[in-house]
Amino acid sequence: MAKWLSPVELEGNFVKLLPLTESHKSEVLDAASDGKLWELWYTSVPSSDTLDSYMGFALKQKSEGLALPFVIVEKATGKVVGSTRFCSVDAPNRRVEIGYTWYSQSVQRTGINTECKYLLLQHAFETLDAIAVEFKTNFFNFPSRNAFLRLGAIQDGILRNHRIDRMGNIRDTVIFSILKSEWPTVKTALEFKMHKKY
């Protein structure tokens, strides 16, 4: 499983995705502090109180081959502006999820998300030979749901009463996916969108 999902650096025109390490801890907190993202109740972004457990969980899953977390570095500034990861790894079935994604408020709606997703999807389908890439989010996270649809993902369904969140709320989880057979068209659409924006 770990062999299928090996640490890798991914680079586009505007961002680099670097494997998350313990040395990124202060930069991750600084990025999350831009907009106090931990105040969003429907998603999980580290705060000073939760940073250790957030990092610990991500790095433990990485060591077990169950996830590959990244920091997102804006090339123009060299600053960490968010985090994302491959997770829910199902190596025998060549399926993986892109999740735990968040961006500093100052770079939201700038095109960085599109390029990050492009790099991750390209790696998943063209290097890992994944047959499907999943996305999951809280039912009430409408910005993420709309972003998945704009990427070209299809909504598979809603898992009702899927989990209990940190506030004790019962969460419904919406699942989206892109299949390997759909990747060529999704790739063309994303490249058009990126070239048009920049």
Side-chain angles (χ1 to χ4, degrees):
M1 191 175 296
K3 186 177 180 183
W4 187 61
L5 195 67
S6 301
V8 64
E9 294 184 10
L10 304 174
E11 183 172 357
N13 292 320
F14 302 98
V15 296
K16 283 185 182 178
L17 303 183
L18 306 178
L20 176 74
T21 66
E22 193 71 31
S23 66
H24 291 120
K25 186 177 284 190
S26 64
E27 293 173 285
V28 167
L29 184 58
D30 286 346
S33 298
D34 178 356
K36 297 182 180 177
L37 302 179
W38 54 80
E39 293 180 350
L40 297 172
W41 70 273
Y42 50 72
T43 190
S44 179
V45 179
S47 66
S48 56
D49 293 334
T50 63
L51 182 62
D52 287 341
S53 59
Y54 176 90
M55 295 283 291
F57 176 73
L59 294 175
K60 180 175 185 289
Q61 289 233 308
K62 177 182 175 182
S63 69
E64 295 171 349
L66 300 174
L68 182 55
F70 296 92
V71 288
I72 301 163
V73 178
E74 185 180 32
K75 291 173 67 173
T77 63
K79 289 176 56 177
V80 171
V81 294
S83 185
T84 190
R85 73 187 74 162
F86 287 123
C87 55
S88 302
V89 176
D90 183 358
N93 292 301
R94 304 205 316 274
R95 294 181 66 93
V96 68
E97 178 187 347
I98 296 172
Y100 296 91
T101 304
W102 55 268
Y103 301 95
S104 299
Q105 190 173 67
S106 60
V107 300
Q108 292 176 15
R109 294 176 294 280
T110 63
I112 281 179
N113 179 54
T114 302
E115 186 171 77
C116 285
K117 290 297 193 296
Y118 175 86
L119 293 170
L120 291 165
L121 288 164
Q122 183 178 46
H123 184 72
F125 288 121
E126 297 179 17
T127 301
L128 299 178
D129 194 30
I131 62 171
V133 175
E134 298 176 356
F135 305 89
K136 298 189 187 88
T137 193
N138 188 309
F139 179 87
F140 288 100
N141 191 345
F142 295 107
S144 286
R145 291 174 64 177
N146 290 330
F148 297 152
L149 292 172
R150 285 195 303 273
L151 283 174
I154 303 298
Q155 182 175 315
D156 294 320
I158 300 174
L159 295 177
R160 307 270 288 152
N161 283 9
H162 183 223
R163 62 176 64 159
I164 301 171
D165 70 19
R166 67 183 187 277
M167 297 172 63
N169 296 311
I170 299 176
R171 162 180 156 158
D172 291 349
T173 297
V174 189
I175 302 177
F176 298 79
S177 67
I178 297 172
L179 306 182
K180 185 173 180 64
S181 60
E182 297 165 344
W183 170 236
T185 303
V186 170
K187 181 179 182 179
T188 299
L190 289 176
E191 288 176 345
F192 178 80
K193 186 182 295 186
M194 290 188 294
H195 294 152
K196 185 178 179 183
K197 187 167 186 71
Y198 299 112

